Amino acid sequence: MANLRELIYESEDILADCQLQSREDNQCSNGWLECIYPPNLLCQYQTGKRLREINEKITNIKQSIMSYLSPSITNDMGRRDASNDQFPRWSSPVYDHTQVVGLEDDTKKIKGWLCNADVGILKIGIEMIEGELLRKINQYLLGKRYLIVMDDVWSLDGSWWSRISEGLPKGNGSSVIITTRLVKVLRKMEEVEVSAQNPELEKIGKEIVQKCNGLPLAIKAIGGMLLYKSHYHEWKRIADNFRDELGENDDTVMPSLQLSYDELPPYLKSCFLSFSLYPEDCVITKEQLVHWWIGEGFVPLRSGRPSTEAGEDLFLRVNKSMSGRGCRHFGIDTKMDRKQLAANHKLRALMSTTKTGEVNKISSSIANRFSECKYLRVLDLCKSIFEMPLTSLLSHIGFLQHLTYLSLSNTHPLIQLPPALESLINLTILNLSYSQNLKVLPPYLTKFKKLRVLDVKLRNLSQLRKLGLHLVWDDEIRDSEVSALVNLQQLQFLTISCFDSHGSDLVDKLDKLYPPPGLLELCLQFYPGKLSPAWLNPISLHMLRFLWISSGNLAVMHESFFGENNSAWNIEGLMFESLSDLEMEWQTVQQVMPSLKTVHASWCPNLESFPIEDVGFRGGVWTKGRTQEVIL
């Protein structure tokens, strides 16, 4: 399996190289000259050689698997002691079918059908009728003293218990035990709660539970240890030495952890294992994890948003891959060994794993090695200080053409992005947040066609003139960021698009996202609210010359849109497009926009008073001073 895993990585690297080469060939095509001097002949030869090696290794793996599955080996493995630590038993024991009761007649009937089948295929459908099943359970238990245990109940609907309890015989000292993690389940069943008889044990027990920090596996392991201990000093010892005790008695944790891991879908297994990179007690930000997972393609994108449902409370400490022959993911910290990095030149991810309040101090000998990892997809250098000039380091990073995620958040001292980064054409996520000295973004960022996330914490970009925002989820705008736009005093052109937006709070946050007063052009697309934002008024945007509102749910303009105290818009050009619910009187528009020269309106059926023919369909253009409209 270790060898096969390495081949999968190698195959993905070959595919990435081929895609990169194909893109370069398309950009640098020389027509007929390529027929005489093929520029990528050497690359094709090397790729073919690598593929042949992979095929040979796959053949060897196939032969090895067959040898492991040979009859002699299989029989020998079957004779091993099931309790041997090297071969732990994960499955439940096989039940004795002779102990199953209540199905004798049905069994005989089904056997008769099967034995008499002759032509075609016999199809048998079995239905379990609830009333009949409860009746048989009642008959079997009637007059007996029974104990029924229902383990790990989650359903908050108490009707299931009502139906079952009605079919159970009462009396004879019978009992039913329900285990659950939800108190509401017990309350709906009118249970008798079991509480500690010893107040001292109850107090120390709560202390132990608190140290478990809500982790179910830790609670399960500690609970097993306390089960046969009834003295206060024993519980106290476990509480005082919690981590050591849990580490020495993890036999119950690891099987459960293994079982949970085995049941995960393949893409979530990669997400789960990514926690192994972080040191113990490290606070992991959700943002860093999500960006890493997207950068390496661990999780599929759903409606433009990655699925991040993974076990965020589980952390492991692993320093090398299971094969022992090299890592694909490495944690960056001050104690990094240059030799370790040199031995792992096929890394996929380099992640900063600093603890809260700490920074990485990276030597030049290590930083120079980053660019040697040419298959690197993820590079997170947040909270790092380098011996070498940061501009020089970033220039070398420009050679990592497979890079999809680059984080320079809180990296010192980031002043500018060098031209060499323009070659990172596969970049999907660029995090430049908390870079206090970064004042200007390079124009080449607009060429990154795959860029999905650009985090720059806008407050510092005081020279920014043109900005486009695509806001989909309400949590993309933090409460501390709603005032970010108003600080961009040089901003002149702003586009806000809410295409395919989700989240009920997005409209409220957009209403607080005040643009700077010097704005010249504003484009509002797919606005999800019925009422226009309050900041869209002639006082807040007194320099606005062009306003374009397209698509969305906008139906009514906020009262502030029409001005106060005789204030008027300086708008010269107005465009309304695909606003099926918008209602507005043409006379009112002329009053609040005396400088208006051109109006374009189409697919706005409720703007009937506008002097534009066919305004509810293709629409047209009104121009000041003309007696006739120009129909598009």
Side-chain angles (χ1 to χ4, degrees), residues 356-404:
T356 304
E358 296 181 356
V359 295
N360 293 322
K361 296 181 180 179
I362 309 300
S363 64
S364 299
S365 60
I366 290 179
N368 282 325
R369 293 281 184 180
F370 291 166
S371 59
E372 297 177 4
C373 306
K374 68 173 185 176
Y375 291 110
L376 209 61
R377 267 72 163 176
V378 173
L379 181 58
D380 190 319
L381 302 176
C382 70
K383 295 187 291 186
S384 298
I385 300 176
F386 298 90
E387 287 183 355
M388 66 185 300
L390 190 55
T391 303
S392 176
L393 171 62
L394 295 179
S395 297
H396 287 90
I397 290 176
F399 293 105
L400 303 176
Q401 297 188 26
H402 296 302
L403 206 64
T404 58

Side-chain angles (χ1 to χ4, degrees), residues 469-473 495-503 506-507 510 522-533 548-555 575-580:
L469 298 177
H470 183 199
L471 304 173
V472 180
W473 298 85
T495 298
I496 300 177
S497 174
C498 300
F499 176 72
D500 196 24
S501 62
H502 305 79
L506 183 59
V507 174
L510 284 172
L522 173 63
C523 178
L524 198 60
Q525 299 176 338
F526 298 96
Y527 184 73
K530 293 286 186 181
L531 184 68
S532 66
W548 177 20
I549 304 179
S550 172
S551 303
N553 302 325
L554 190 62
M575 177 180 286
F576 290 143
E577 186 177 53
S578 300
L579 299 170
S580 58

Side-chain angles (χ1 to χ4, degrees), residues 349-360:
L350 271 170
M351 301 290 297
S352 177
T353 56
T354 57
K355 295 184 179 181
T356 304
E358 296 181 356
V359 295
N360 293 322

Side-chain angles (χ1 to χ4, degrees), residues 140-175:
Y140 180 74
L141 297 178
L142 193 63
K144 298 178 181 178
R145 185 179 184 184
Y146 58 83
L147 168 63
I148 299 177
V149 179
M150 298 182 179
D151 185 39
D152 203 14
V153 177
W154 286 86
S155 177
L156 294 175
D157 181 9
S159 61
W160 69 270
W161 168 244
S162 300
R163 294 192 298 269
I164 292 178
S165 61
E166 291 173 358
L168 298 177
K170 307 301 186 293
N172 296 324
S174 299
S175 303

